[in-house]
Amino acid sequence: MTRLLRRIAWALPFALLLAFAGLGEAHAQGTVRGFVTDATDGLPLQDVNVVLTEAREDRVGGPLKYGAVTDRDGFYALTQIPAGDYTIRFTFVGYERYEYAVKMEAGGLLALNVELQPTGEELGELVVEGARTGAARITAGQQSIRPADIERIPSPDVSGDLATFLSTLPGVVSTGDRGGNLFVRGGEPTQNLVLLDGIPIYQPFHLIGFYSAFPSDLVQRADLYAGGYGARFAGRLSSVLDVAVVNGNKKQFRASASASPFITGLQIDGPVVDDRASLVFSLRQSVVEEVASELVDQSLPYNFGEALGKVHLLLTEEAQLSVTALRSWDRGRLADFATEDAVAVAEADEVRYTSNAIGGRLLLVPDRLPLLAEILVHYASHRSELGSRSDPRQTSYVERIGGEAHMTQYLGDHEMTFGLFARTVEVDSRLAGLYQNFDGNQEWITEVGAYAEPSFHFGGLQVRPGLLVQTAFRGATKPLVEPRLRVVYERGRHALSGAAGVYHQQIVGLQDRRDAASVFTVWTGAEEARVPRATHVIAGYRARLPWGFEVAGEAYHKWLEGLSIGEWTAFPRFTTRLQPAKGTARGLDLRAELQRARYYFALTYGLAEVEYQAEQETLALWYGTERLRYNPPHDRRHQVGATAAVTLGALDLSARWQYGSGIPFTRAFGFDGFVLADGAIDVTREEGRRRVIYERPYNGRLPAYHRLDLAAAYTVAFSGADVALQASILNLYDRDNVFYYDVFTQRRVDQLPLIPSLGVKVTLR
Amino acid sequence: MPRLLAFLLIPLLVGGCEATVDPGPGPDRPFTLYGYFDAGSDVQAVRVIPIAETLVPETREPIDARVVSTDLGTGAEVVWRDSVVTFASGAVGHVYTAPFRARFGSAYRLTVTRSDGLASVVETQMPPEATVEEQPARRDTTIRESGGMPADTTIRIDPSITFDIRGAIPRLLDVQAEYRVAVSAADEDGIVLSIPYGSSGDTDSSTSGLVQQTAEGWRITMRLEQDVVPLKTELLRLGLIDRRSEPIYFLDARLTMLAVGEEWVSPTGVFDSEALVEPGTFSNVQNGFGFVGAGYPITPALQAPDDVIEAAGFIIAPE
């Protein structure tokens, strides 16, 4: 029976695929498709409205009309069009309208790539809805982010960073200014899938919380799926951050350099072959250790940076190839800054991590099929070390090579997406007893999977069921079946959305969450009998109100199983045994936003509860229960965020206030010693070990976190160059926000104090 | 609506102003104690660890503690004296001692009082004195007949020796068979190796059954023949022999154990520090932590004759 079920599970995506292919063939009629780009730089334009209108006007009920919106590659497709004469119209805010007369033949396929010319006029007060992103624009857990959204958030640098924006979202809990960990709707950082042009990045966030490997200048668009994501994404439990790097400018060259007390940057962008190939490259290196630490008169032992580049090539009218590469590095010490003079201690606590990634993406539109094919190959690695540079006491390495193919077939109002993937992951760790019942290991794991995900559109209703089947080859190969569903219903100003899905994670990241100041992560294959699994359910409502107001609310619930967490022990040590656990994360996000051309305001609130149930064997002995419920240290119950931005000519002003209620920590009642009284103990010889006395794990809460940041940016245009100046103040009222509290010494390490900052950026055109 | 807003905002504002970390109520118990009253020793010793607010090592400085024991049978009180011991690691600890021999069958109270009056107290019961009797090895005699007449006699010796521990001893802890053996006839001193036999009530499958309760007390079976295997394993590990087939010379042997009171029992059945380290899990100290028991060692020497020793696989060392 089990074997039969496995076969059915494997066959289902292919059966769905064949059924849809047959449907498409039966209705094959004319198709018009192509890419839409900006005429001045060759960059793809997303969310362009494409409308095909029948030329004849004598049809009863009016002429036939077909519509589509371009995707992130600027691609559109209109299918199942009867033969006849039509007018195709492309409209996009800020660009001149483009109209073209086309003649469709039965079964014909017309490729039409279009360049839109910017109008050069200032936008009106209202932003076109189709292109809108922002705090309140969330649909079934998915939120799209554009550089403009990021730039509204005050940061110490002239250019923004995706990490700064993510930390403003309700449901996203960060460790603050330090730490580089993001928890999305209750999930652990290692349960987030971060993709850069389809390449997985294992640790994209730098040790200073303002920065990631994604400077806003290089982000074309990012999609954050806080849960309930579709069948295209596999291998992580909690969320997906899908970042698209901007293609380089194919028309003209541009270079910029920036400096601030935190980071310096250099960027070039331009054509390699006019109109055909472009290159964009960014290099950033932190100076926080040298400059910002002087500003705050406090040691800030962080060194980080990244080099990110992308080559984009138009192979033919129907094929595009891009190669993206990233190298990101971090070195720093999070635990205790008071022992600056103790070099040995500093080295012992130092964490270092490096991520490398390179990948290619081929976008192909076959000649005769109403199909968009996307083929990706990637290589990614991540090395993490803890301890001295010459002889780290713990190391973890993960390396992954893989490929995947995604096909989208356009069938009138409906679409069929299907794909498959294969990847091999090597994990190698040396842990020196960090996890006492898990030795460091070296292991190769190969994962394969296939999915099918049709998308049905019925008026305002979009239904997107999906099914993913995957397995890992390591001993027994057990297929994991993951059904997914996304539903959106839009009517007028209102939109209802929902999502649900089952998710597994074969390659897991272990972090000792007892140690808030640790970002050291061990990647390893999950136990075959206990592959972590999550089930998500999301329900949301969004309404567009007059005058650019938008409100949204979304409730979510995640069930988590097969987790591995550190066991508790009264021995005050940073090594632990792993114990099984399961958990739930649930919450409600509320968002209100006012978006006008010159000013912007957003208010968000997140209510959340994360609860784990530990299953440690000794729990019954210690607490009289076999399962201990507790709130892990990322259980931030309340989050409030307010963002305001005003544009006054060349001057941009922005402010951000954020509040987060206290997160759990383990309160100690005292410290004594422990001697194992297992016989005739000689107390004059038996030293015993020190012990921490606590009642229950995470029984206390740290004080609330809140901070106000302000920024003002002014851009002056010269002939051939723009100079942007930015002044910012972070933590304006100098709030003492706790980053880390050492229960052993009762010492606290705070987040960053008030920091004034002045940044400059020069762009050569 | 205003009420709802107030409900949401007031806790936020009140909680938001607080910036100090509440580390907890602090230690409400003064001391952690380890040790046991020993009826086999003329000096009693107990480790006293003050419960501290932070994780700092113990120092040589005198600690704020007055330690008094009371014999609950006689009412006799003894004030104990502090001594600072230095352990192998260099760390120090405070061990309080008193020069008396604990009485068999008597109950004791130990009170450790801080100058503010806060005290940790423990009471424990010394088990009564035990007597030990070694039973002779079992010998099975087989007589082979020929033509209706006894022709050949074979005596098979079972090299297992039982010891009967008689007395109302609630528990026996850390029972071990201690062998002094040599790898050559010339080695007169030999080496002492111990084989763990567990404790009474042990749930460890490798040792359970070796210590059995009887109507008169306890019975321990010393498995001479089986013990040769772990002894040779240890000698191999130490590099004293090269092969298991090499002979080992028997010099002497004994059992060692601690006869203890009822309270000296692990709640898990085994003494695992990872499980028992949780404060309060294995503790009999009131208003404090740790464990103070009462007991005395029992160490009967093996008296078995040479043929039993040889039957187990040892070679009797020449006199």
Side-chain angles (χ1 to χ4, degrees):
Chain A
M1 188 64 183
T2 308
R3 184 176 293 178
L4 179 65
L5 283 174
R6 285 182 189 174
R7 284 181 180 167
I8 291 172
W10 276 111
L12 256 176
F14 301 104
L16 267 172
L17 172 64
L18 290 173
F20 232 87
L23 184 70
E25 196 60 35
H27 295 275
Q29 298 181 54
T31 295
V32 58
R33 72 186 184 196
F35 293 93
V36 181
T37 53
D38 184 314
T40 61
D41 55 20
L43 295 178
L45 292 175
Q46 185 173 357
D47 295 322
V48 173
N49 278 307
V50 186
V51 178
L52 186 75
T53 310
E54 194 180 22
R56 55 181 281 201
E57 295 178 349
D58 56 345
R59 183 183 291 276
V60 177
L64 294 172
K65 276 193 176 184
Y66 300 88
V69 175
T70 55
D71 67 9
R72 66 163 60 180
D73 294 303
F75 182 77
Y76 71 94
L78 299 164
T79 60
Q80 297 186 354
I81 300 164
D85 293 319
Y86 293 87
T87 301
I88 189 165
R89 190 171 68 241
F90 298 83
T91 55
F92 191 50
V93 65
Y95 287 81
E96 290 177 359
R97 173 197 289 202
Y98 180 91
E99 275 191 9
Y100 194 77
V102 294
K103 185 176 185 62
M104 296 301 303
E105 293 177 359
L109 194 150
L110 179 64
L112 185 60
N113 292 347
V114 171
E115 290 187 337
L116 293 186
Q117 195 73 39
T119 59
E121 297 169 6
E122 275 201 32
L123 298 179
E125 278 293 290
L126 289 176
V127 177
V128 169
E129 287 301 325
R132 179 167 168 165
T133 57
R137 184 51 69 102
I138 184 165
T139 306
Q142 181 194 357
Q143 178 162 15
S144 293
I145 304 153
R146 297 187 189 218
D149 302 317
I150 301 170
E151 300 292 350
R152 287 192 199 108
I153 311 300
S155 78
D157 191 21
V158 178
S159 301
D161 191 288
L162 182 57
T164 317
F165 180 83
L166 293 175
S167 66
T168 67
L169 299 176
V172 176
V173 172
S174 77
T175 46
D177 311 330
R178 313 179 202 244
N181 276 329
L182 283 183
F183 302 83
V184 181
R185 287 188 175 173
E188 302 267 350
T190 57
Q191 295 165 356
N192 302 329
L193 175 62
V194 181
L195 297 170
L196 179 73
D197 281 345
I199 313 163
I201 309 295
Y202 282 91
Q203 173 50 298
F205 300 105
H206 290 306
L207 282 168
I208 286 277
F210 307 124
Y211 296 104
S212 67
F214 313 124
S216 64
D217 292 341
L218 263 69
V219 174
Q220 177 202 334
R221 178 181 174 125
D223 287 305
L224 174 67
Y225 299 84
Y229 35 95
R232 178 190 172 105
F233 301 109
R236 295 291 171 91
L237 288 188
S238 177
S239 72
V240 174
L241 177 63
D242 188 12
V243 181
V245 178
V246 67
N247 294 340
N249 193 320
K250 291 187 177 57
K251 308 281 185 182
Q252 51 188 313
F253 184 78
R254 196 172 55 178
S256 66
S258 62
S260 79
F262 280 74
I263 203 164
T264 58
L266 183 71
Q267 189 181 321
I268 57 172
D269 174 11
V272 178
V273 178
D274 277 350
D275 294 326
R276 304 292 297 180
S278 61
L279 166 73
V280 61
F281 176 75
S282 164
L283 175 67
R284 294 197 300 176
Q285 172 60 49
S286 71
V287 290
V288 60
E289 195 168 15
E290 298 81 10
V291 184
S293 57
E294 295 294 323
L295 281 176
V296 298
D297 192 25
Q298 184 184 103
S299 170
L300 297 173
Y302 306 109
N303 184 300
F304 59 86
E306 82 281 327
L308 172 60
K310 180 177 183 179
V311 174
H312 183 257
L313 180 64
L314 296 173
L315 298 172
T316 66
E317 292 291 306
E318 286 86 27
Q320 302 180 10
L321 174 68
S322 65
V323 176
T324 307
L326 167 76
R327 179 174 171 80
S328 163
W329 55 89
D330 281 79
R331 170 174 61 77
R333 189 159 52 86
L334 293 166
D336 183 5
F337 309 95
T339 54
E340 182 59 23
D341 54 338
V343 176
V345 173
E347 280 206 345
D349 288 341
E350 187 173 281
V351 65
R352 295 171 299 284
Y353 51 86
T354 310
S355 295
N356 293 311
I358 186 165
R361 179 172 182 255
L362 177 66
L363 204 62
L364 197 63
V365 189
D367 276 347
R368 300 188 179 282
L369 292 170
L371 196 73
L372 177 68
E374 188 185 2
I375 297 163
L376 301 114
V377 292
H378 68 256
Y379 165 85
S381 69
H382 178 72
R383 178 179 293 282
S384 188
E385 292 182 346
L386 195 64
S388 72
R389 272 169 250 178
S390 56
D391 184 23
R393 67 177 183 274
Q394 281 136 11
T395 62
S396 177
Y397 180 71
V398 58
E399 186 177 55
R400 168 172 149 166
I401 188 163
E404 52 196 87
H406 307 278
M407 310 284 173
T408 303
Q409 190 174 12
Y410 298 89
L411 301 155
D413 290 337
H414 314 300
E415 291 171 16
M416 177 67 181
T417 304
F418 54 94
L420 47 89
F421 66 84
R423 54 198 176 224
T424 294
V425 182
E426 179 195 356
V427 291
D428 188 0
S429 53
R430 184 163 63 84
L431 304 179
L434 174 64
Y435 301 109
Q436 295 173 351
N437 53 349
F438 170 72
D439 292 330
N441 64 348
Q442 186 176 30
E443 192 177 6
W444 283 266
I445 300 154
T446 296
E447 295 175 282
V448 296
Y451 74 92
E453 191 168 49
S455 179
F456 303 101
H457 297 252
F458 307 103
L461 178 66
Q462 182 191 356
V463 182
R464 201 175 174 89
L467 185 70
L468 169 73
V469 182
Q470 59 167 319
T471 192
F473 294 107
R474 43 195 298 258
T477 53
K478 181 183 171 189
L480 301 171
V481 182
E482 302 183 359
R484 315 273 172 92
L485 177 67
R486 293 178 64 80
V487 180
V488 181
Y489 177 66
E490 290 191 76
R491 188 185 174 101
R493 296 178 174 276
H494 307 279
L496 291 168
S497 63
V502 174
Y503 308 87
H504 292 90
Q505 186 164 346
Q506 304 258 19
I507 314 292
V508 296
L510 305 175
Q511 282 188 323
D512 185 3
R513 304 250 39 103
R514 300 171 313 150
D515 179 7
S518 173
V519 292
F520 179 72
T521 305
V522 179
W523 291 95
T524 184
E527 282 180 40
E528 289 176 32
R530 204 163 56 87
V531 175
R533 170 191 161 108
T535 306
H536 299 181
V537 174
I538 296 172
Y541 168 75
R542 175 163 51 81
R544 285 180 285 115
L545 305 175
W547 299 98
F549 275 109
E550 186 153 347
V551 294
E554 208 167 81
Y556 61 90
H557 197 126
K558 293 178 179 176
W559 291 267
L560 306 162
E561 299 167 63
L563 305 178
S564 292
I565 60 171
E567 270 192 3
W568 296 291
T569 174
F571 289 128
R573 65 185 178 207
F574 286 118
T575 62
T576 179
R577 295 196 290 196
L578 293 171
Q579 63 170 316
K582 58 184 184 178
T584 56
R586 57 191 170 186
L588 176 70
D589 293 350
L590 300 174
R591 304 152 188 248
E593 186 181 37
L594 171 63
Q595 213 173 145
R596 311 281 288 192
R598 289 186 179 81
Y599 54 91
Y600 174 89
F601 182 75
L603 183 65
T604 61
Y605 170 73
L607 172 69
E609 183 186 30
V610 187
E611 185 181 272
Y612 282 1
Q613 289 181 46
E615 298 169 353
Q616 191 171 332
E617 282 181 5
T618 49
L619 290 175
L621 173 67
W622 293 354
Y623 307 122
T625 175
E626 289 184 355
R627 285 188 180 158
L628 181 67
R629 295 168 185 266
Y630 73 100
N631 302 114
H634 59 281
D635 176 50
R636 178 156 272 161
R637 289 293 162 83
H638 306 278
Q639 268 189 292
V640 180
T643 304
V646 180
T647 300
L648 302 170
L651 179 67
D652 293 315
L653 302 172
S654 59
R656 172 202 183 192
W657 182 75
Q658 55 182 325
Y659 168 91
S661 60
I663 54 175
F665 79 110
T666 302
R667 292 195 309 178
F669 291 97
F671 300 87
D672 64 353
F674 174 74
V675 177
L676 184 63
D678 58 348
I681 45 172
D682 181 352
V683 292
T684 63
R685 292 176 182 273
E686 191 71 45
E687 178 184 345
R689 295 158 72 180
R690 302 297 288 164
R691 178 170 71 173
V692 56
I693 301 168
Y694 63 91
E695 186 194 12
R696 290 207 174 200
Y698 302 111
N699 56 346
R701 287 210 176 245
L702 293 174
Y705 172 95
H706 52 89
R707 197 179 79 186
L708 176 63
D709 302 336
L710 300 178
Y714 188 75
T715 304
V716 188
F718 296 97
S719 163
D722 290 339
V723 177
L725 297 168
Q726 180 184 278
S728 67
I729 301 178
L730 304 181
N731 195 4
L732 180 70
Y733 51 85
D734 200 19
R735 161 80 177 178
D736 293 332
N737 288 307
V738 180
F739 163 62
Y740 172 65
Y741 182 75
D742 187 336
V743 295
F744 300 156
T745 59
Q746 296 193 2
R747 277 219 302 257
R748 59 185 277 172
V749 175
D750 283 342
Q751 307 275 9
L752 296 177
L754 182 151
I755 300 184
S757 175
L758 191 64
V760 61
K761 180 178 180 183
V762 179
T763 304
L764 302 174
R765 284 176 274 118
Chain B
M1 190 65 180
R3 284 185 182 176
L4 179 64
L5 277 176
F7 175 76
L8 288 172
L9 289 176
I10 287 173
L12 190 152
L13 292 171
V14 171
C17 293
E18 183 58 58
T20 56
V21 178
D22 174 10
D28 57 348
R29 307 182 190 192
F31 299 106
T32 293
L33 314 174
Y34 291 101
Y36 68 101
F37 285 83
D38 188 352
S41 173
D42 292 330
V43 178
Q44 308 301 311
V46 166
R47 172 95 173 266
V48 178
I49 304 171
I51 298 173
E53 288 188 358
T54 56
L55 184 64
V56 289
E58 292 173 76
T59 68
R60 306 186 75 86
E61 296 300 311
I63 57 176
D64 179 13
R66 183 172 187 271
V67 180
V68 177
S69 64
T70 307
D71 185 327
L72 297 180
T74 64
E77 286 193 349
V78 178
V79 178
W80 297 38
R81 292 184 59 187
D82 186 13
S83 63
V84 178
V85 296
T86 303
F87 300 109
S89 69
V92 298
H94 290 265
V95 174
Y96 280 71
T97 59
F100 69 93
R101 181 179 283 259
R103 294 190 309 124
F104 291 110
S106 188
Y108 288 90
R109 179 191 299 136
L110 188 75
T111 306
V112 185
T113 312
R114 214 160 57 183
S115 57
D116 61 2
L118 211 55
S120 298
V121 181
V122 60
E123 288 187 10
T124 186
Q125 174 75 44
M126 181 67 73
E129 189 169 16
T131 58
V132 182
E133 184 181 345
E134 180 183 329
Q135 302 298 328
R138 203 176 74 188
R139 293 165 190 266
D140 296 328
T141 303
T142 308
I143 300 171
R144 192 164 57 85
E145 294 183 350
S146 177
M149 297 293 288
D152 191 17
T153 303
T154 304
I155 301 173
R156 188 181 177 281
I157 302 172
D158 178 6
S160 296
I161 305 296
T162 56
F163 289 82
D164 287 321
I165 317 291
R166 297 198 176 93
I169 313 296
R171 297 186 181 280
L172 294 175
L173 283 190
D174 195 21
V175 182
Q176 298 189 37
E178 190 180 279
Y179 292 87
R180 194 160 64 89
V181 294
V183 294
S184 72
D187 183 1
E188 294 180 357
D189 298 329
I191 181 171
V192 176
L193 301 173
S194 294
I195 311 295
Y197 279 18
S199 301
S200 58
D202 212 334
T203 57
D204 188 333
S205 58
S206 65
T207 54
S208 63
L210 294 176
V211 182
Q212 292 179 322
Q213 194 156 23
T214 64
E216 297 177 313
W218 298 94
R219 170 166 290 178
I220 301 171
T221 305
M222 196 169 181
R223 310 168 304 178
L224 301 179
E225 191 171 15
Q226 288 95 321
D227 287 349
V228 170
V229 177
L231 288 174
K232 287 193 172 181
T233 302
E234 184 63 9
L235 291 169
L236 275 169
R237 192 187 68 79
L238 294 170
L240 297 175
I241 58 173
D242 296 324
R243 297 182 305 278
R244 288 186 180 277
S245 57
E246 289 185 39
I248 53 174
Y249 294 85
F250 180 90
L251 298 177
D252 54 52
R254 64 174 185 169
L255 282 177
T256 66
M257 68 201 81
L258 191 69
V260 300
E262 189 68 51
E263 74 276 12
W264 204 330
V265 59
S266 165
T268 61
V270 291
F271 288 95
D272 174 13
S273 61
E274 291 293 336
L276 302 183
V277 67
E278 179 71 11
T281 301
F282 176 45
S283 176
N284 63 345
V285 180
Q286 298 166 39
N287 202 35
F289 295 103
F291 183 84
V292 177
Y296 56 91
I298 302 174
T299 55
L302 183 68
Q303 306 292 338
D306 290 352
D307 61 344
V308 175
I309 305 297
E310 287 173 336
F314 293 97
I315 294 175
I316 301 297
E319 294 292 329

